[in-house]
Amino acid sequence: DAGITQSPRYKITETGRQVTLMCHQTWSHSYMFWYRQDLGHGLRLIYYSAAADITDKGEVPDGYVVSRSKTENFPLTLESATRSQTSVYFCASRTSGNTGELFFGEGSRLTVL
Amino acid sequence: RKEVEQDPGPFNVPEGATVAFNCTYSNSASQSFFWYRQDCRKEPKLLMSVYSSGNEDGRFTAQLNRASQYISLLIRDSKLSDSATYLCAVNSRGATNKLIFGTGTLLAVQP
């Protein structure tokens, strides 16, 4: 009953490789989000989803692809990883009614060499 | 200009001190405001929402100034355990799905 889990927690890959970060939540929350966190930039929204099969771009969507075929899963794919995508990635979810309280996963630390 | 801005700090304060953080936002249509806390290498967690009339939760007080477009967080009687990064977050009217975060302010409470 972990709530929201991300995998892998740590990943090292090479430039040009495809990488998928997984996010799974057990609360049946409608909304799910992907953020990246970098020094000097804070948390920046990549993509979000209001429900299964509904996704939308955030502040920094370029280079990323998302899907949401099931309510509980929201994978983030880097189709061709670049060094600038080295970051900590946080998945988050919330209910449809409360716009402020996001529940975050523990984060996935990605290094692109 | 970033939509939400914070002084990154660090704020180094002794135990028992009172410390205040400000966060400015550029979108006058912003509707909802929040403070999150993030411990080192951990995920952010909601600390408190910020209401128009101001609100208090124990040693923490949050205020909103719509005219000047900033929110503030005041921590009284600082504890060592308050050491963390404090992130402000803003939702915009018409884009309530997008919670935009500031870069965070690092607080280090010294014994």
Side-chain angles (χ1 to χ4, degrees), chain A residues 31 33 35 37 100 102 105, chain B residues 2 34 36 38 43 91 97 99:
Chain A
Y31 287 88
F33 304 82
Y35 287 87
Q37 188 171 36
L102 299 186
Chain B
K2 290 183 181 176
F34 310 91
Y36 277 73
Q38 185 174 25
E43 72 274 21
N91 264 343
N97 299 322
L99 193 61

Side-chain angles (χ1 to χ4, degrees), chain B residues 28-55:
Chain B
S28 58
S30 297
Q31 188 173 28
S32 306
F33 309 89
F34 310 91
W35 284 102
Y36 277 73
R37 170 190 169 130
Q38 185 174 25
D39 293 309
C40 187
R41 302 179 76 85
K42 298 281 191 180
E43 72 274 21
K45 293 183 180 178
L46 181 67
L47 178 66
M48 58 197 303
S49 302
V50 186
Y51 302 121
S52 298
S53 55
N55 47 298

Side-chain angles (χ1 to χ4, degrees), chain A residues 22-43:
Chain A
M22 305 300 293
C23 180
H24 174 79
Q25 53 107 353
T26 58
W27 294 306
S28 299
H29 283 171
S30 301
Y31 287 88
M32 296 187 75
F33 304 82
W34 274 107
Y35 287 87
R36 61 177 289 176
Q37 188 171 36
D38 307 284
L39 275 174
H41 290 282
L43 281 162

Side-chain angles (χ1 to χ4, degrees), chain A residues 35-45 59-60 84 86-88, chain B residues 1-6 8 38 85 87-88 99-105:
Chain A
Y35 287 87
R36 61 177 289 176
Q37 188 171 36
D38 307 284
L39 275 174
H41 290 282
L43 281 162
R44 290 183 290 174
L45 181 62
E59 302 169 86
V60 289
S84 65
T86 292
S87 187
V88 180
Chain B
R1 184 186 171 186
K2 290 183 181 176
E3 192 166 341
V4 181
E5 295 200 73
Q6 293 182 253
Q38 185 174 25
T85 295
L87 301 149
C88 62
L99 193 61
I100 304 299
F101 286 84
T103 53
T105 298

Side-chain angles (χ1 to χ4, degrees), chain A residues 6-109:
Chain A
Q6 293 183 231
S7 63
R9 294 288 316 281
Y10 302 91
K11 175 76 175 178
I12 299 175
T13 191
E14 295 177 336
T15 301
R17 297 270 181 123
Q18 183 179 84
V19 176
T20 296
L21 305 180
M22 305 300 293
C23 180
H24 174 79
Q25 53 107 353
T26 58
W27 294 306
S28 299
H29 283 171
S30 301
Y31 287 88
M32 296 187 75
F33 304 82
W34 274 107
Y35 287 87
R36 61 177 289 176
Q37 188 171 36
D38 307 284
L39 275 174
H41 290 282
L43 281 162
R44 290 183 290 174
L45 181 62
I46 304 171
Y47 269 97
Y48 66 97
S49 168
D53 298 321
I54 300 174
T55 62
D56 206 349
K57 296 178 180 179
E59 302 169 86
V60 289
D62 294 343
Y64 302 95
V65 174
V66 294
S67 62
R68 192 153 176 222
S69 57
K70 292 184 178 181
T71 300
E72 61 266 31
N73 296 324
F74 191 38
L76 175 74
T77 297
L78 290 67
E79 292 192 305
S80 179
T82 65
R83 289 200 181 97
S84 65
Q85 292 178 309
T86 292
S87 187
V88 180
Y89 292 85
F90 286 101
C91 180
S93 70
R94 69 164 175 83
T95 62
S96 58
N98 185 342
T99 60
E101 185 164 17
L102 299 186
F103 295 88
F104 285 86
E106 293 181 298
S108 294
R109 190 173 294 272

